Amino acid sequence: MRTLHQHQQGIGLLELMISITLGLFLLSGAIGVLMSSKSSYNLNNELTWIQDNARFATNSLTRDIRMAGFYGCSTSQNYTSTLNPSAGTGWYTDFDNAVIDVVDNDPPTSATIDISGTHPFVAGDILVITDCSQTTVFQVTGNNSNKLVHNTGSGTPGNCTKFLGGISCSSAGANRKIFRGSEGAFVVQMKAHAYYVDEAADGTPTLYRRELVANSGNPDVSDEELVQGVENIQVVYGYDSDADGNANRYVNADDVPVADWGNV
């Protein structure tokens, strides 16, 4: 008797199920690695974004803080502002608490400063003139490209006097200072910045900077969005309570006596 032997071909159901299970196991592992890599990428990307924003905000603040109270090359003891006193939101023109080469302003009774060449300033700009022995803040009242006019009676806040000497508006006429180019006098534009936190259009907390600008002959402010993701900003001031030139403690603005801001 002869027997016919048949050889099995293909795979059975059991082998197929085992293969599918192993494939799904390997696929789930690959998906897990992919998701982990994507999560790490997103985390690193967000950290980089935060670090870049923090670096930019810090650099902007540092640059302004270093320049705070800088009067050209003079000292606060030889500093005068001829601007009328301002109140309320006029902080950006209150320079009693805050490069153009000059030819001269002779006679000192004149409201005109002769300069070398031309200048880009317009009526309403707040400028500072200094020769390293005296510094005076004033407002431009004319649109002459080769002279700087600083008369009274126009502009906001306007000049309380056309004289550029003295230690205050009331005493400016007593010291009719002459600034000469031969003595190193020059004119620069005064800057005033304020930083605050507010929500952007998309609701994200954002650090803004408010800057002094000229608007139709009068000083105004312009708001600039700096960096998003800033929820809070806190500033402490080095207070030199004994006037020895070194900060004794760091305090909030409300803890500095009004008369002692010169010691900050």
Side-chain angles (χ1 to χ4, degrees), residues 121-201:
F121 308 123
V122 298
D125 281 346
I126 307 297
L127 307 182
V128 55
I129 183 172
T130 182
D131 63 357
C132 299
S133 65
Q134 168 70 35
T135 297
T136 301
V137 175
F138 64 93
Q139 186 173 20
V140 179
T141 58
N143 287 313
N144 192 321
S145 62
N146 55 13
K147 295 179 183 294
L148 291 170
V149 182
H150 52 94
N151 223 324
T152 59
S154 64
T156 302
N159 297 309
C160 64
T161 177
K162 62 183 178 181
F163 304 127
L164 300 179
I167 58 174
S168 66
C169 278
S170 60
S171 66
N175 180 13
R176 299 176 180 182
K177 170 70 177 178
I178 298 178
F179 290 91
R180 300 186 186 279
S182 59
E183 298 173 355
F186 61 93
V187 173
V188 294
Q189 189 167 17
M190 201 68 162
K191 295 291 185 180
H193 291 155
Y195 291 86
Y196 65 96
V197 174
D198 199 359
E199 289 188 354

Side-chain angles (χ1 to χ4, degrees), residues 20-36:
I20 293 175
T21 302
L22 291 175
L24 289 175
F25 178 77
L26 294 175
L27 182 61
S28 63
I31 293 175
V33 172
L34 177 62
M35 295 300 295
S36 177

Side-chain angles (χ1 to χ4, degrees), residues 4-73:
L4 180 63
H5 296 281
Q6 293 182 347
H7 298 285
Q8 183 179 1
Q9 296 180 352
I11 59 175
L13 180 60
L14 180 61
E15 290 87 348
L16 179 61
M17 292 181 65
I18 293 174
S19 300
I20 293 175
T21 302
L22 291 175
L24 289 175
F25 178 77
L26 294 175
L27 182 61
S28 63
I31 293 175
V33 172
L34 177 62
M35 295 300 295
S36 177
S37 298
K38 183 177 180 181
S39 177
S40 298
Y41 170 79
N42 289 336
L43 177 61
N44 290 332
N45 193 42
E46 291 177 359
L47 287 175
T48 300
W49 179 78
I50 293 174
Q51 291 171 349
D52 287 343
N53 282 353
R55 187 181 301 109
F56 180 78
T58 302
N59 288 341
S60 299
L61 286 165
T62 301
R63 185 164 51 248
D64 279 350
I65 291 172
R66 284 175 177 171
M67 296 297 293
F70 178 61
Y71 303 111
C73 55

Side-chain angles (χ1 to χ4, degrees), residues 85-91:
S86 56
T89 58
W91 58 268

